[in-house]
Amino acid sequence: MDTLDRLKKLLSEVYDGAIDTDGITEETGLVEDIGMKSIAMLYMAMSIEGEFNVSLTNDDLPKMRTVGDIIKLIEERSK
Amino acid sequence: MSNKKEAKKEIKKDRAVDIKFLLMDLPRFFATISFGLIYRPKRMYISKKRPDKKSGALVIANHSSFTDPVLIGISMGRRMWYLAGELAMGNKLKSTLLTGCGCIGIDRNISDIDGIRKAVNVMKRGHYLLMFPQGRLERDGEIKKLKSGAVLMAYQAGVPILPVYVKKGAKWYNRAIVMVGEEFRISDYCDKKMPSMADIERLTDIAAEKMHECEHAYYDYIKAHSKGRKVPKVN
């Protein structure tokens, strides 16, 4: 399973299937398209840390605007 | 198994009297004497089920006075950490002192993952962390909508949530009451491995209900002991 699929699975769990994960691409905006609020963003960031075994900081969160940004961040951190 | 034993050993070590906790224990000692004399806080439980002494917990309480953190801190009989807004932490000197006293600053303007991580780690180490999930001071003591960050932190730390209702006496000679509710775990109400955002919202409402139970127990107690004095209404 690649990073995008794992992220889709994570998003599906966070939103309990309330969002259509099939339509999610790297260009999907977290706030604009998914409607993610700050608390959901925090939850997502913590879940990413657990799932991908990476560490995120306060500076990383504003950079996470699209799904592609998250993938980039994960790949950077897991090197 | 050995990891569990090591973790337990670590918790025991962390709870012992230690020079590194001097900044926490010394103010707590003086606060116990001074606040103990002025407010004479009385800790009460709403049920026979007592909180697990070995486990850490997230203590959630109403916030109607600046004395609340101290009253709860000295009443629980354990070293306590506090979650404070970045604004309350003030300048560098105040921030250093408050951090030494066990305050963890959270910047509410951003998604402060660093602050949350510190708080989660404290609870994982088997300590109590006090937070006011309403997010601000409510002078009337009314419990309004809670922020869902509390449930999120308890889930991340894997600790129970302990609801508390605190109120100073109406008159200077009345004792302050710290009404401790029944602790509950996320797993008591959600059997999923990873709760969804909807579950977290639902659990936040349950936490508010538990705080209301403590509030009602407080007013029942006051009513029973008021001897004809006028008792304020519960909303």
Side-chain angles (χ1 to χ4, degrees), chain B residues 13 27 30 53 60 82 87 96 99 122 133 137 149 180 187 194 209 225 234:
Chain B
K13 212 172 124 189
F30 289 114
K53 280 183 182 172
I60 54 167
Y82 306 88
L87 264 178
T96 311
T99 306
V122 158
L137 201 67
V180 183
S187 54
M194 184 179 165
E209 268 172 41
H225 292 79
V234 191

Side-chain angles (χ1 to χ4, degrees), chain B residues 172-184:
Chain B
W172 66 269
Y173 50 81
N174 292 139
R175 292 182 78 170
I177 304 286
V178 177
M179 194 62 81
V180 183
E182 234 179 81
E183 68 177 12
F184 69 99

Side-chain angles (χ1 to χ4, degrees), chain A residues 15-39:
Chain A
Y15 284 98
D16 207 7
I19 55 162
D20 175 28
T21 49
D22 291 336
I24 289 176
T25 64
E26 289 194 18
E27 283 74 41
T28 305
L30 298 177
V31 179
E32 299 85 9
D33 302 319
I34 300 174
M36 208 175 255
K37 288 180 183 166
S38 61
I39 188 79

